[in-house]
Amino acid sequence: MLLFQLPGLAKAAVILLAAATTMAEGKIARHAAAEKRTYPTSAIQWQPCPADINTVAALDVECGVLTVPLDYTAPHSNETLDLSLVRVPALKKPAKHSILLNFGGPGAEARHALAELSDMLQVVTGGEHDLITWDPRGTAETLTFSCFDNTTIRTQFTSQLGLGNASDVQRGVIWAAGKNYADACANYPDAQKKAPIINTAFTARDAMQIVDAVEEDRLLRYWGFSYGTDLGATLAALFPERAEKVLLDGVYTPNQYFYERTDSQGFASADDTFSEFFRQCVATPEVCSLARSHPNATAKQLESAAYDLIEELKYRPIPYNGAILGYSELKIAIRFGLYAPGTWLEIDSILNAFLTEPRNETLAGETLGGYISLSLAAPVDDAGIGIECVDKAPRSNSFDVISASIDEAQAVSRLLGDSLAALIATCAQWTLEPRERYMDGFAKVKPLKPLFVIGNTYDSATSIKSARNFTETVKGSVLLEHGGVGHASIAQPSLCTARAIQAFFTNGTLPEPNTVCKTVTTPFKYAKFGPTWQDLFPQLGYELPKSNQTQAARARPRDSTEEAIKKLSRRSRGVVS
């Protein structure tokens, strides 16, 4: 998932701060609120970006460094942290303000994502603001969080984890594996040092340090995707009087993320999204090969066959190229394939290879194995699991408690509920606690201006139900339902949604509550024929920008934004599956 929260000042906020010394038995001590302390902020000197960012950038971008406190609970410490930032200058000069962006995770790097999506994001935000992002604590090269010396050792631990219903004994295996993983992190010296300071509350405070450095009015303008909505909710909670324009896109249920063992509500639309995949497939046989191979089958029949296949592979997996492909591999492919219309084509190819009779298992293995190996590489660090487990408050080493939480997740989604099992088991038994955790909930949050919330009708990772619940929780928030598929609104273009975002950041206008925006075309047609985001720029008031001098943009493919969104989807939560 893409997809979290930033620092702020709330009079009624309850902040739990751990002692600045080593934690004892995971206890969090209560201290004076850190946000009442002030810190000096260094200036940002913007300069050309390194080649790895320039080569993927759609527009000219600039890079900078901002020095912030390493530990916000240690006001007398001189230790600092350098944040690496990317800025996309406004298309219209001079820039009105800056918009901060977070692309989710937790654990996903952000600088390359902004560079790749810079033209689309500038157009959709109205072109009047500088766009800024940074790699949050624990991610990329910013306090990289790792529990192991190398990927080989990490894989030995992560391979013990899996999906909750992959076998009759899997629950016990995951419970034990979660303990192994949590203990490995607790015993790794570098993880012990970094875990307390990679929490979302500190990341929020970093965000406000950026605001202080670039905004004379000290007001926050922000767009967060997936986990970025948890970060955005935290920003609004901690700094309500500075939350001027906050857009939460693909809501990841902040209350569950911080205060419950399972994030199950995010998957509340997963089964509906899978059903929509088959409905759209049957309606678009000229694109969907599964429909062409089964011309007389209904959407419900194809969906039933897919669930039967998942269950079959639990007991009869297939060997392929030295690997075993079964229940877990197919579910993982479906999970991440649902993130964007472009990867719906991958699901189509995989299911068609398995369900077409007589089955060609070599072709089926090549299709599924190829997607897994190319799209879902093993993680190179432990940022995703580490940040969320540090943030998540409930702890328990009881098998019965953890199993009940897995049951809760499974009840929400037949398709994807058990994919949360590894996260539940690991975070429940985690012992590295944060120096700060926001603990006052979100029902009393009163930001300076109403929050703008967007939820997709069919989002398998962050459900529309989650968006509705959060909008009801934070009074005055306004929900727009993006009537498309995929993870967050940018996965499938809508001129209606894009114009609403433009109006919000340009002049603060919010749509009418519960507005539903249609997309420009259906998912399979969009994936195959477009129009691309770049094709829609003229209808949004912009021609294709011609000022970019980067090598990548001069030869930029027409569908480059769509490819970047697919990559972003794969990076967002592919940590423990």
Side-chain angles (χ1 to χ4, degrees), residues 80-240:
T80 59
L81 170 67
D82 286 341
L83 300 178
S84 297
L85 292 80
V86 167
R87 178 172 72 171
V88 184
L91 299 178
K92 299 177 182 178
K93 304 295 191 295
K96 283 186 175 181
H97 294 286
S98 297
I99 300 171
L100 272 57
L101 295 99
N102 179 281
F103 295 95
E109 63 84 24
R111 294 187 301 151
H112 289 80
L114 177 58
E116 288 182 282
L117 299 171
S118 54
D119 57 346
M120 182 269 289
L121 292 171
Q122 269 293 357
V123 170
V124 173
T125 56
E128 297 181 348
H129 298 78
D130 294 338
L131 307 181
I132 297 175
T133 196
W134 74 107
D135 291 333
R137 293 167 179 252
T139 68
E141 298 178 4
T142 307
L143 289 177
T144 309
F145 185 74
S146 179
C147 301
F148 307 98
D149 287 336
N150 54 58
T151 301
T152 301
I153 299 175
R154 178 176 297 105
T155 301
Q156 292 174 2
F157 282 81
T158 58
S159 63
Q160 299 174 4
L161 297 163
L163 305 189
N165 293 327
S167 75
D168 295 338
V169 299
Q170 190 68 15
R171 291 273 179 104
V173 171
I174 291 175
W175 172 67
K179 175 67 171 173
N180 286 342
Y181 198 149
D183 285 351
C185 292
N187 293 325
Y188 194 68
D190 193 58
Q192 294 172 0
K193 179 181 178 181
K194 293 177 179 176
I197 55 176
I198 62 171
N199 57 81
T200 292
F202 275 18
T203 294
R205 300 191 182 285
D206 291 341
M208 297 312 290
Q209 294 277 328
I210 299 171
V211 172
D212 287 339
V214 300
E215 294 288 359
E216 291 185 5
D217 64 7
R218 303 184 71 237
L219 296 180
L220 172 70
R221 290 96 185 166
Y222 174 83
W223 187 356
F225 303 91
S226 194
Y227 159 82
T229 66
D230 293 326
L231 178 57
T234 303
L235 279 168
L238 295 178
F239 298 93

Side-chain angles (χ1 to χ4, degrees), residues 3 8 39 48 87 108 111 150 162 166 183-184 214 284 331 337-338 343 393 400 403 406 419 453 513 535 550 568:
L3 320 158
Y39 300 87
R87 178 172 72 171
R111 294 187 301 151
N150 54 58
D183 285 351
V214 300
T284 324
K331 270 203 170 184
L338 290 174
T343 46
D400 291 338
S403 183
I406 296 173
S419 66
V453 179
D535 292 334
T550 65
L568 185 62

Side-chain angles (χ1 to χ4, degrees), residues 340-533:
T343 46
W344 278 31
L345 299 179
E346 305 288 350
I347 301 176
D348 173 39
S349 296
I350 292 167
L351 293 179
N352 189 52
F354 274 96
L355 295 177
T356 298
E357 296 294 344
R359 180 184 299 171
N360 183 331
E361 292 202 346
T362 300
L363 176 61
E366 289 176 351
T367 308
L368 176 56
Y371 177 73
I372 293 288
S373 62
L374 290 176
S375 302
L376 301 174
V380 296
D381 57 39
D382 302 283
I385 194 85
I387 295 170
E388 180 153 1
C389 287
V390 164
D391 279 337
K392 193 173 284 295
R395 307 292 186 211
S396 175
N397 60 7
S398 165
F399 172 80
D400 291 338
V401 170
I402 292 171
S403 183
S405 296
I406 296 173
D407 284 339
E408 178 185 341
Q410 184 63 47
V412 171
S413 171
R414 174 188 181 188
L415 178 67
L416 298 182
D418 69 335
S419 66
L420 288 171
L423 185 70
I424 292 169
T426 304
C427 291
Q429 301 178 88
W430 195 262
T431 58
L432 298 174
E433 298 291 352
R435 296 273 164 81
E436 179 181 6
R437 181 187 288 130
Y438 174 74
M439 290 294 292
D440 202 29
F442 300 92
K444 297 180 181 179
V445 172
K446 295 181 179 180
L448 179 65
K449 299 286 182 66
L451 304 180
F452 183 14
V453 179
I454 298 178
N456 285 15
T457 303
Y458 297 107
D459 185 334
S460 60
T462 53
S463 71
I464 185 65
K465 298 174 185 177
S466 178
R468 291 191 183 109
N469 287 344
F470 183 77
T471 305
E472 294 171 359
T473 298
V474 181
K475 304 303 181 185
S477 301
V478 174
L479 172 65
L480 180 148
E481 181 173 342
H482 176 79
V485 307
H487 189 28
S489 67
I490 61 174
Q492 187 181 6
S494 162
L495 291 171
C496 168
T497 301
R499 287 168 179 150
I501 296 171
Q502 282 185 333
F504 178 66
F505 283 116
T506 300
N507 53 40
T509 301
L510 285 162
E512 289 296 316
N514 299 309
T515 294
V516 178
C517 284
K518 294 182 179 180
T519 55
V520 293
T521 187
T522 59
F524 279 102
K525 288 183 178 179
Y526 170 63
K528 185 71 172 181
F529 307 117
T532 68
W533 271 106

